[in-house]
Amino acid sequence: MPRQERLDQVKVSDRMFMFKPCVGENKYPGIINSIMHAMPRLGVEPVESDEQTCCGGFLTFTNVAEPTSTMPAVARNVAIAEEMGLDIVTMCNGCYTFLTEFTHFMDQRPPVKKVVNTILSMIGREYKGTQQVYHAVEVFYKLKDRIAERAVRPLDGMKFATHYGCHYLNGFKNEAIDDAFMPTVLEELITACGGTPVEYEAQRECCGTGLTQVILHKEEISLPHCQRKFDSLNEAAPDAVVVQCPYCLAQLDRMQHKLNWRKITDYKVPVIHLNQLVALALGVEVEKLGFGAHAMSLDRFVEKLPPLEKTAGAREVPVG
Amino acid sequence: MARVGVFVCHCGVNIAAKVDVAKVAEEVGKLPEVAFARDYKFMCSSPGQNLVKEAIKEHGLNRVVVAACSPKMHLPTFQKAIAAEGLNPYLISMANIREQCSWVTEDPEEATAKALDLVTRQVKRVAHQDPLEDIDVELNKTAIVVGGGIAGIQAALDIADGDRKVVLVEKSPSLGGKMAQLDETFPTLDCSQCILTPKMVEAAKHPNIEIRVNSEVATLDGYVGNFDVTIRRRATCVDEERCIGCGLCQEKCPVKNVPDEFNAGLANRPAIAIPFPQAVPAVPVIDRERCLKLTKDKCGACAKVCPADAIDYSDEGSEETVKAGAIVVATGYREMDPAVYTEYGGGTLPDVITGLQFERLVSSTGPTGGHLKRPSDGKEPKTVVFTQCVGSRDPSRGHEYCSGICCMYTAKHAMLYRHHVPDGKAYVSYIDIRSPGKSYEQFVRRAIEEEDVRYLRGRVGRIMRLKSGKYRVFTEDSLVGRPVAIDADMVVLASAVEPQAGAVELAQTLGIAYDADGFYSEAHPKLKPVETATAGVFLAGACQGPKDIPASVQQGSAAASKVLSLFARDTLKKSPQVAKVDPTACTGCLTCSYVCHYSAIEQSEFAGRQVAEVVAGKCQGCGACAATCKNKAIALAQFSDDEVFEEMLR
Amino acid sequence: MTGPSRDGETPKMKEEPKILGLLCRWCSYAGADLAGTSRFIYPPNVRIVQVPCSGRVDPVMIFKAFTEGYDGVLVSGCHPGDCHYGTGNCHARRKLAVARRLLETVGVDPDRMHFTWVSAAEGRKFAEVCAKFTERLKTLAGTEKTLARTGLAS
């Protein structure tokens, strides 16, 4: 159940900074493109910057880089948005974690903030700590009613499973907008988009990215774990599973495909990101959502999509 | 002319390690008021007290200062010593140079300077203290016991057997408390109801005990020996005197789906119901929110079928005021709701139940007639995981403290389960095993060694509901260092012991202190477990802290003994620390009477003028009046302006 | 501990503030005892005077304390709702709120009077209150300056 006190702290502005996730840029550009097209339909101008870099999470997780290097990188990224006076919307559990944890760390330790700003001053920037970092799920949830109102393609008859991932809910047990073990925000967003959420046993299991792709590269440990998740997911037979993190997307998408390709399994559940779900419901054209990059084919999913409603209520909203 | 004797205690090394006691005695000896001063190792010992007595004789002392521990510790000791020597016991004061000096100051020089200052202040103060006499107050020898569980019943029986009257006030419709809900008790596996009901009946039939069920203490005024207690009875709509306990009303009641509190929500009861078959008194109560007659003016079936004409829909409840000399608080505990643990399903999983719910399932008087069945589908569970420490020892979302009874009742539950389902598998997930009582350790070993209960040392991380209807319990066996997943049919959570709902409000009504967790505070954690800081109000049972049945019974008897010694004499000796009005200075504005919490100040007359007068018997000595009087016409004995200023102003 | 002497000598600027602590017997005095039993160390600047209830504290006591040379006065009672005598601590709070305004009027920094609730279980809190209050007083200008201005110093 969502936590009202946390929800009250989420403020949606007319212009917000879209923090692009690296796995999005490199592997699933649809994640970024969909939010760039969805936000204007919700009355928010999405601003991006080419100066933005990776949040540094991947490098820190894998011990390739020390926080002493990645923290200034985070500060620099946040400073870019600060200079524009915009709050930041991340669309990845990892980006959210890194931007939030490191900015809190600096805010609570002035000596550290000072050192980081000394480094940033060398490139003419300063981290002040004036802007908020949100996860797209928080912003979309806050705009839930608006999404339902403006959904010109309500996803009637489409069944969706959810996968929240670990870092947002579990990593921020007290600060996330929903409970770590019994969350409902994605299900509610699916309903707002007109779809039907389905349950499956392994819903709160981790996707296994950390073991497979990021830290260990020990497939023999992680793939059996994933198989359990995929078996459960496929048994529920949704039209797609919705994730809120590109890493989860990559894992669920590519590993299902890999296991199928090795003729071990015959999984059928395609994976889409929350951004793509909302964009679909708001009527953004399918071609703009980057489905071609997904390993698990979205052809059947697209065929099943209801048509755009040509109702009098459908608003002509300028596309950003 | 004051002749003060000063005695500076070493208290072994407690004071002497930081304070140069010899120097303090020497310096203080130079004060004009001081006729004699010395230091000594242990003033509270017999030889120490004799020093005081001898000095009084030898040096003609008329005041005494003992510089030692807190007066809260030993003032009465020294008061008795000087009284034995013929010196009025109120002509002494103590300088607190231990708790408030040597124990809290790092530097010996600073400690010594502070000690000297503190002793000097007491010397100046004591010179202004007057001799006083204790006041005799009549006392009422009726006791009120609040709470009809085992602790309250025991206290009531012991007081009543001591030939004193007791009013036993119980909030719910029957006596019995938590013990009535239990199936078997550790470590003997005695049937709980069987050992409890004789006591319930004895209390109900005892000539010296009056039972008030469906009742609560609404207000408490007065003071020890002279309490005025208002007891409010809820509207039950059933006349206790007329009801014959036949149970026809609950049979005929058409409303059948009210969650049953006695069965911990696992079953339903009618809108008019006797709480359980062995209830004492066995008189039903109408649930005002579910009764069709009271909410919609329909039905009325119970009144039609009642052979004794005991139903009265117009009942609005009632209030009575009882005078009492002592109160025993025995309001018990409640089981924490584990819904905050969303990793355990947050209360939404039907077969993940609490300890009390498990008791009801295995009870022959329970919703399943004692057959252990899953609430979801009624099937017999073949694998059960018992999880200890749910909400206890968990500062993050539960309570920091240990609930004390769960290790024992979990072992009991596991054994009961194995008795009910001999081919069933029982697992206990634990952090530690706490089994300190008599035969307790042997009881737990029996579960492990003889009854094949599998104990796994590790906390349960998550309970996941499977499509099959089973529950995957993720835990670990930390002794071998392996994670463990068990597919269970039922999970029992040993949920924490918490103070009752409304415990804090009741404490404020009764004027007693409570701790950060909401349990009632005893007067001293080691030496006064059943007294509170409020004279005449005693504690018994789990309201003071989590405890098992033997400990609750012990405290019930202990509280009773305190009450009986209070009632042993006909008058109570009251402290002379009372206020007094100087009528020559009083202007009769009566502002003092407005701030008096005990209504101890009355309007009176002096030389044709209206003045205020303090009723010494009622005054509790707080001094609010003395601080309020603009003319300084009212003074509090022992804390007069003179005495306080002498101590303060230097 | 030095203070302005009663014969009117102008004293030097004190470094160690002298603090009067008026503590109610049932809660705060017991809390101070608990600080001792638990061996929580705090600065030796406080002189504790026991009163039966914080309601016994008269604003006159506060003023006399400052004229006597105290740099700070700490009054501590039971938490609201827990007063051993029912409502004494409520009377105290109201009276001392008025006293605080009067202190301002006569030119004594009202921060020199600190009113708090310490229960019998709050030993650590009592030690912290004393330490913080002592530190705070060290940062305020000397009492004697303010008293000299008002002519209240004897």
Side-chain angles (χ1 to χ4, degrees):
Chain A
M1 284 302 305
R3 298 199 183 97
Q4 195 55 45
E5 338 80 72
R6 298 300 309 174
L7 202 51
D8 289 341
Q9 291 170 348
V10 175
K11 303 265 182 288
V12 178
S13 330
D14 300 329
R15 303 176 72 226
M16 299 185 86
F17 187 89
M18 301 294 122
F19 191 86
K20 298 186 288 252
C22 63
V23 173
E25 288 270 41
N26 294 329
K27 299 184 184 170
Y28 296 93
I31 295 176
I32 299 163
N33 218 41
S34 51
I35 202 174
M36 294 303 290
H37 283 92
M39 279 300 187
R41 292 171 189 236
L42 293 171
V44 177
E45 187 192 324
V47 176
E48 54 167 329
S49 167
D50 279 339
E51 300 192 62
Q52 184 211 315
T53 65
C54 160
C55 72
F58 180 84
L59 298 172
T60 318
F61 278 142
T62 51
N63 275 334
V64 168
E66 301 267 350
T68 41
S69 309
T70 51
M71 198 176 296
V74 162
R76 177 184 164 281
N77 277 319
V78 177
I80 293 172
E82 271 180 8
E83 279 159 31
M84 299 193 230
L86 300 176
D87 286 336
I88 297 170
V89 181
T90 62
M91 47 203 91
C92 167
N93 288 350
C95 293
Y96 178 83
T97 300
F98 270 85
L99 295 191
T100 305
E101 276 194 18
F102 279 3
T103 50
H104 282 177
F105 192 86
M106 287 186 282
D107 292 341
Q108 287 160 11
R109 289 166 181 75
V112 172
K113 191 172 172 180
K114 201 161 155 213
V115 167
V116 169
N117 276 330
T118 309
I119 298 172
L120 286 190
S121 67
M122 298 198 277
I123 51 167
R125 293 204 132 108
E126 190 193 343
Y127 163 70
K128 296 197 178 93
T130 53
Q131 304 306 124
Q132 296 298 320
V133 174
Y134 298 121
H135 191 298
V137 71
E138 296 172 335
V139 177
F140 284 140
Y141 190 78
K142 189 95 184 190
L143 295 172
K144 182 169 66 112
D145 294 332
R146 208 181 285 184
I147 293 174
E149 257 176 48
R150 300 186 184 188
V152 294
R153 196 217 291 270
L155 303 166
D156 283 326
M158 307 275 301
K159 294 195 298 201
F160 295 94
T162 63
H163 172 79
Y164 288 80
C166 300
H167 285 101
Y168 175 68
L169 287 181
N170 294 31
F172 294 90
K173 275 208 190 80
N174 295 324
E175 288 103 41
I177 55 163
D178 207 348
D179 184 81
F181 298 101
M182 299 173 62
T184 59
V185 291
L186 280 182
E187 280 78 2
E188 290 182 59
L189 279 169
I190 289 166
T191 309
C193 292
T196 309
V198 300
E199 283 182 8
Y200 61 106
E201 251 172 41
Q203 194 229 7
R204 287 300 293 130
E205 297 304 295
C206 169
C207 68
T209 286
L211 294 174
T212 308
Q213 305 188 69
V214 183
I215 303 174
L216 282 186
H217 275 289
K218 278 196 192 282
E219 277 191 6
E220 65 273 20
I221 300 178
S222 63
L223 281 184
H225 168 85
C226 294
Q227 254 184 282
R228 275 200 298 274
K229 173 119 192 162
F230 300 147
D231 286 344
S232 173
L233 184 58
N234 277 267
E235 215 186 301
D239 295 307
V241 56
V242 180
V243 301
Q244 59 177 58
C245 170
Y247 273 105
C248 294
L249 178 45
Q251 178 76 351
L252 297 183
D253 188 37
R254 293 174 177 215
M255 291 306 125
Q256 274 192 95
H257 179 80
K258 180 182 266 196
L259 287 167
N260 283 353
W261 198 64
R262 290 180 183 174
K263 308 238 194 297
I264 299 174
T265 52
D266 183 24
Y267 293 136
K268 294 183 170 39
V269 180
V271 190
I272 62 170
H273 189 281
L274 173 65
N275 292 0
Q276 294 166 315
L277 174 83
V278 173
L280 268 176
L282 290 174
V284 176
E285 297 86 321
V286 172
E287 298 76 49
K288 295 199 162 74
L289 303 180
F291 282 171
H294 291 232
M296 293 294 287
S297 165
L298 279 153
D299 291 341
R300 263 212 308 242
F301 176 84
V302 170
E303 271 167 39
K304 207 175 159 187
L305 282 176
L308 276 170
E309 276 178 4
K310 301 269 192 261
T311 62
R315 267 155 279 220
E316 287 302 310
V317 200
V319 172
Chain B
M1 180 57 207
R3 292 183 60 75
V4 185
V6 180
F7 304 85
V8 187
C9 188
H10 294 223
C11 193
V13 295
N14 283 310
I15 297 176
K18 282 282 189 301
V19 173
D20 184 346
V21 287
K23 178 157 177 237
V24 169
E26 196 194 314
E27 286 300 312
V28 158
K30 298 177 188 162
L31 291 170
E33 299 90 341
V34 177
F36 174 78
R38 67 160 292 168
D39 59 281
Y40 184 68
K41 268 226 178 299
F42 295 106
M43 282 306 302
C44 55
S45 65
S46 271
Q49 293 178 48
N50 283 335
L51 282 180
V52 178
K53 293 183 193 171
E54 276 155 25
I56 292 175
K57 263 201 305 249
E58 270 184 52
H59 298 272
L61 302 178
N62 59 18
R63 298 284 187 285
V64 168
V65 171
V66 177
C69 51
S70 169
K72 278 173 160 264
M73 189 116 300
H74 272 305
L75 184 58
T77 312
F78 296 113
Q79 281 177 314
K80 288 198 186 76
I82 68 175
E85 207 46 47
L87 188 56
N88 184 286
Y90 294 98
L91 297 178
I92 179 175
S93 90
M94 284 185 73
N96 187 335
I97 60 170
R98 190 182 72 166
E99 281 88 336
Q100 294 180 4
C101 185
S102 70
W103 274 350
V104 294
T105 310
E106 197 73 71
D107 178 57
E109 260 187 53
E110 285 175 342
T112 305
K114 182 172 176 179
L116 179 56
D117 191 0
L118 291 174
V119 181
T120 306
R121 288 160 188 268
Q122 294 306 322
V123 168
K124 301 290 179 184
R125 188 197 206 281
V126 83
H128 286 252
Q129 281 171 223
D130 291 322
L132 298 166
E133 295 301 325
D134 284 344
I135 300 172
D136 280 322
V137 169
E138 268 188 28
L139 78 138
N140 184 305
K141 296 189 190 184
T142 298
I144 299 204
V145 175
V146 186
I150 186 61
I153 290 173
Q154 188 63 46
L157 286 173
D158 286 345
I159 297 172
D161 283 345
D163 238 17
R164 301 291 177 213
K165 297 250 176 283
V166 179
V167 177
L168 179 51
V169 181
E170 164 58 42
K171 190 153 101 166
S172 75
S174 167
L175 300 182
K178 292 289 181 300
M179 199 174 160
Q181 290 176 282
L182 305 182
D183 179 38
E184 291 173 18
T185 58
F186 57 80
T188 48
L189 296 183
D190 262 311
C191 155
S192 186
Q193 291 256 4
C194 309
I195 56 177
L196 173 66
T197 41
K199 280 196 185 279
M200 283 162 62
V201 172
E202 204 191 325
K205 299 241 175 298
H206 202 295
N208 285 338
I209 302 180
E210 276 177 45
I211 313 269
R212 296 277 186 278
V213 287
N214 302 301
S215 303
E216 293 183 69
V217 170
T219 64
L220 177 77
D221 288 309
Y223 51 94
V224 60
N226 293 279
F227 289 115
D228 287 305
V229 184
T230 317
I231 299 174
R232 192 171 295 145
R233 183 186 64 85
R234 269 197 344 260
T236 57
C237 300
V238 179
D239 189 333
E240 257 183 64
E241 306 286 309
R242 293 182 175 198
C243 172
I244 57 170
C246 66
L248 265 177
C249 49
Q250 56 184 12
E251 261 180 57
K252 297 297 179 198
C253 177
V255 178
K256 299 264 182 234
N257 59 354
V258 186
D260 184 358
E261 299 88 346
F262 185 76
N263 277 308
L266 289 175
N268 288 333
R269 59 162 174 80
I272 181 168
I274 298 176
F276 55 99
Q278 300 85 345
V280 171
V283 175
V285 169
I286 291 187
D287 187 332
R288 298 180 76 75
E289 278 159 41
R290 300 302 305 267
C291 168
L292 293 174
K293 181 72 177 170
L294 293 177
T295 54
K296 300 190 181 129
D297 202 18
K298 291 198 161 93
C299 185
C302 50
K304 293 191 196 110
V305 302
C306 176
D309 197 23
I311 309 283
D312 173 14
Y313 297 116
S314 68
D315 183 13
E316 303 259 299
S318 55
E319 255 185 35
E320 62 174 316
T321 307
V322 177
K323 287 194 175 306
I327 319 281
V328 176
V329 187
T331 46
Y333 73 95
R334 84 176 149 179
E335 195 182 47
M336 176 178 165
D337 181 355
V340 64
Y341 291 99
T342 46
E343 59 264 54
Y344 299 162
T348 62
L349 304 177
D351 304 310
V352 177
I353 59 177
T354 66
L356 213 48
Q357 288 177 319
F358 184 83
E359 293 276 353
R360 295 316 304 148
L361 285 179
V362 293
S363 276
S364 54
T365 57
T368 55
H371 299 288
L372 189 54
K373 294 183 184 166
R374 286 172 17 125
S376 62
D377 57 12
K379 294 211 177 88
E380 192 176 67
K382 294 297 188 192
T383 304
V384 180
V385 176
F386 297 90
T387 310
Q388 293 185 183
C389 293
V390 177
S392 309
R393 304 178 68 185
D394 179 10
S396 71
R397 271 172 301 164
H399 302 285
E400 214 173 20
Y401 53 81
C402 164
S403 290
I405 56 176
C406 329
C407 287
M408 288 307 296
Y409 81 55
T410 296
K412 174 189 75 171
H413 284 170
M415 280 198 277
L416 288 181
Y417 168 67
R418 296 276 302 127
H419 296 168
H420 279 251
V421 186
D423 61 335
K425 293 208 192 76
Y427 295 90
V428 174
S429 142
Y430 72 98
I431 307 175
D432 292 294
I433 300 295
R434 294 175 170 186
S435 48
K438 210 158 163 181
S439 300
Y440 284 15
E441 177 65 17
Q442 296 92 313
F443 185 78
V444 179
R445 296 313 310 173
R446 176 180 155 191
I448 299 172
E449 290 167 13
E450 292 173 42
E451 309 265 7
D452 196 23
V453 177
R454 294 142 202 222
Y455 271 68
L456 294 171
R457 184 166 168 278
R459 294 193 77 154
V460 170
R462 241 182 95 201
I463 301 174
M464 198 170 95
R465 189 179 198 177
L466 302 174
K467 272 181 58 165
S468 62
K470 281 177 171 278
Y471 301 88
R472 186 157 291 163
V473 180
F474 291 93
T475 178
E476 66 167 330
D477 184 348
S478 63
L479 293 179
V480 295
R482 269 206 321 249
V484 171
I486 304 169
D487 284 357
D489 299 304
M490 177 183 272
V491 183
V492 183
L493 306 176
S495 199
V497 166
E498 283 184 336
Q500 283 279 22
V504 168
E505 287 76 10
L506 180 63
Q508 292 177 335
T509 301
L510 300 175
I512 58 176
Y514 51 92
D515 64 22
D517 299 306
F519 291 108
Y520 296 151
S521 297
E522 61 288 315
H524 189 281
K526 290 284 204 197
L527 300 178
K528 295 188 180 183
V530 295
E531 294 159 79
T532 64
T534 309
V537 183
F538 304 98
L539 302 173
C543 62
Q544 182 257 352
K547 55 177 62 71
D548 57 20
I549 293 167
S552 302
V553 171
Q554 282 167 26
Q555 285 203 335
S557 292
S561 86
K562 294 289 179 191
V563 171
L564 290 174
S565 39
L566 188 64
F567 290 175
R569 277 166 275 277
D570 284 327
T571 57
L572 211 52
K573 281 247 173 267
K574 198 173 114 125
S575 158
Q577 183 184 313
V578 294
K580 191 161 176 207
V581 178
D582 173 5
T584 61
C586 174
T587 60
C589 71
L590 294 180
T591 310
C592 52
S593 68
Y594 305 145
V595 299
C596 179
H597 186 75
Y598 299 94
S599 310
I601 304 186
E602 288 173 353
Q603 192 182 321
S604 177
E605 211 201 278
F606 177 81
R609 288 188 292 114
Q610 172 182 291
V611 292
E613 190 179 334
V614 177
V615 179
K618 287 188 178 181
C619 172
Q620 295 304 298
C622 72
C625 52
T628 303
C629 178
K630 296 169 192 59
N631 295 324
K632 297 288 144 215
I634 192 165
L636 177 63
Q638 296 215 286
F639 287 93
S640 63
D641 279 358
D642 250 359
E643 288 158 303
V644 176
F645 286 147
E646 280 301 320
E647 190 181 341
M648 251 179 64
L649 298 177
R650 53 200 63 259
Chain C
M1 290 286 104
T2 57
S5 59
R6 286 187 139 149
D7 62 8
E9 248 176 31
T10 317
K12 0 188 241 306
M13 178 68 159
K14 292 192 291 276
E15 279 186 15
E16 285 302 325
K18 180 174 159 193
I19 303 171
L20 173 66
L22 292 163
L23 269 46
C24 85
R25 175 196 160 76
W26 299 95
C27 284
S28 301
Y29 192 91
D33 276 351
L34 181 61
T37 316
S38 315
R39 311 295 198 276
F40 291 129
I41 306 287
Y42 54 88
N45 305 56
V46 182
R47 294 293 172 269
I48 294 170
V49 170
Q50 190 194 104
V51 286
C53 176
S54 52
R56 172 72 187 93
V57 176
D58 194 340
V60 169
M61 293 177 188
I62 316 283
F63 299 129
K64 283 214 162 186
F66 284 115
T67 61
E68 180 60 27
Y70 284 96
D71 297 291
V73 176
L74 172 71
V75 180
S76 181
C78 305
H79 285 262
D82 296 344
C83 177
H84 183 82
Y85 300 102
T87 47
N89 55 0
C90 299
H91 295 305
R93 183 174 45 164
R94 280 185 235 144
K95 263 186 243 168
L96 295 177
V98 175
R100 190 186 287 277
R101 302 264 285 277
L102 290 172
L103 282 178
E104 253 178 300
T105 310
V106 298
V108 176
D109 188 338
D111 277 354
R112 289 180 179 278
M113 185 187 91
H114 186 54
F115 186 42
T116 184
W117 318 116
V118 170
S119 83
E122 291 178 313
R124 186 190 290 275
K125 180 175 173 187
F126 180 75
E128 282 172 0
V129 164
C130 288
K132 286 206 184 100
F133 193 41
T134 308
E135 275 316 299
R136 176 103 185 88
L137 289 171
K138 285 184 188 169
T139 67
L140 299 178
T143 320
E144 61 283 358
K145 289 191 184 156
T146 51
L147 284 178
R149 257 198 296 131
T150 62
L152 277 177
S154 43

